[in-house]
Amino acid sequence: NAGVTQTPKFRVLKTGQSMTLLCAQDMNHEYMYWYRQDPGMGLRLIHYSVGEGTTAKGEVPDGYNVSRLKKQNFLLGLESAAPSQTSVYFCASSWMPSGRENEQFFGPGTRLTVL
Amino acid sequence: DAKTTQPTSMDCAEGRAANLPCNHSTISGNEYVYWYRQIHSQGPQYIIHGLKNNETNEMASLIITEDRKSSTLILPHATLRDTAVYYCIVRVEWEDTGNQFYFGTGTSLTVIP
């Protein structure tokens, strides 16, 4: 099993450009999450999904959109990138909302720089 | 408002126990405490979690105070590979069966040879 994978690993954008980050998991997990991590800070939840076709806002959703068209994929979109969106983005997935099964498995991260 | 507070950094001698504290004074009765660690900016890795009782697994022990306002992660015999940033997390349940992890700012643990 590959676990959670993210594409791309690195990206540099100019202000106003758009892009999509792809997260894929092969563990048949229901829940998927997108986080951002800024220097010296913990991870903050951007959006999440509790199943195929569903998405919801997390702690810092502004400027981002997401889609979960297939259970194994969770896409994070930036329609008009801003320098404030320079960050490392982590995707995670989990099976169930409670107990050990809620362990979130994280991908390796995508380092995004917006100039 | 931060749900957890942790010291910014700690050192520990190799082979000794590392005790990492966390304060979560506003935690509610059904909110779990999780610990993850992050090595070299990789994705965070699960260590342990608990609700009320102390927990132990092959990696660590988690001691939660009786009032649940603080906890301590214990790595019993720290090795150089335990050098990482350790995050104390409160898991909040939403009414619609969802949940959210609230990460602290983390403690950077350095294990010294």
Side-chain angles (χ1 to χ4, degrees):
Chain A
N1 288 350
V4 179
T5 59
Q6 294 182 229
T7 307
K9 290 184 170 56
F10 303 93
R11 187 70 184 270
V12 178
L13 292 178
K14 294 181 179 178
T15 297
Q17 287 185 317
S18 63
M19 78 163 294
T20 300
L21 281 65
L22 171 64
C23 175
Q25 52 94 3
D26 61 2
M27 296 174 282
N28 202 33
H29 285 170
E30 290 291 339
Y31 289 67
M32 296 188 74
Y33 314 81
W34 275 108
Y35 293 89
R36 62 177 287 173
Q37 184 176 33
D38 299 307
M41 298 182 65
L43 280 68
R44 292 182 294 169
L45 184 66
I46 304 172
H47 285 280
Y48 67 99
S49 169
V50 301
E52 182 178 324
T54 73
T55 63
K57 294 179 180 180
E59 191 178 355
V60 288
D62 294 341
Y64 305 95
N65 57 75
V66 288
S67 63
R68 184 98 180 269
L69 299 180
K70 295 182 178 180
K71 186 177 182 179
Q72 64 268 33
N73 295 337
F74 195 29
L75 278 63
L76 177 71
L78 287 72
E79 290 187 348
S80 180
S84 61
Q85 294 178 304
T86 294
S87 188
V88 180
Y89 292 85
F90 287 100
C91 176
S93 69
S94 65
W95 175 239
M96 290 176 63
S98 62
R100 173 61 192 269
E101 288 77 12
N102 186 61
E103 175 185 346
Q104 291 189 20
F105 294 82
F106 284 82
T110 294
R111 188 172 298 274
L112 176 66
T113 300
V114 183
L115 302 176
Chain B
D1 291 339
K3 292 189 177 292
T4 65
T5 56
Q6 302 174 249
T8 302
S9 62
M10 293 180 64
D11 292 338
C12 177
E14 188 178 16
R16 305 295 291 269
N19 297 282
L20 289 85
C22 178
N23 288 325
H24 31 79
S25 58
T26 62
I27 196 169
S28 297
N30 64 344
E31 294 173 350
Y32 282 76
V33 176
Y34 279 69
W35 283 83
Y36 275 67
R37 72 181 183 183
Q38 188 175 29
I39 299 173
H40 297 312
S41 298
Q42 299 173 8
Q45 298 173 313
Y46 170 86
I47 301 173
I48 199 167
H49 78 284
L51 182 63
K52 296 180 181 179
N53 300 321
N54 298 337
E55 302 288 343
T56 296
N57 63 21
E58 64 277 7
M59 289 183 66
S61 295
L62 175 61
I63 308 299
I64 302 174
T65 58
E66 190 169 347
D67 63 8
R68 302 212 324 123
K69 292 185 177 181
S70 65
S71 61
T72 301
L73 176 73
I74 301 173
L75 307 179
H77 304 288
T79 70
L80 299 179
R81 288 179 294 180
D82 292 323
T83 292
V85 177
Y86 288 78
Y87 291 102
C88 176
I89 299 161
V90 169
R91 192 190 86 195
V92 176
E93 299 284 343
W94 294 303
E95 291 183 0
D96 60 351
T97 74
N99 65 83
Q100 179 171 338
F101 277 12
Y102 285 89
F103 282 73
T105 54
T107 296
S108 179
L109 175 69
T110 301
V111 180
I112 302 170

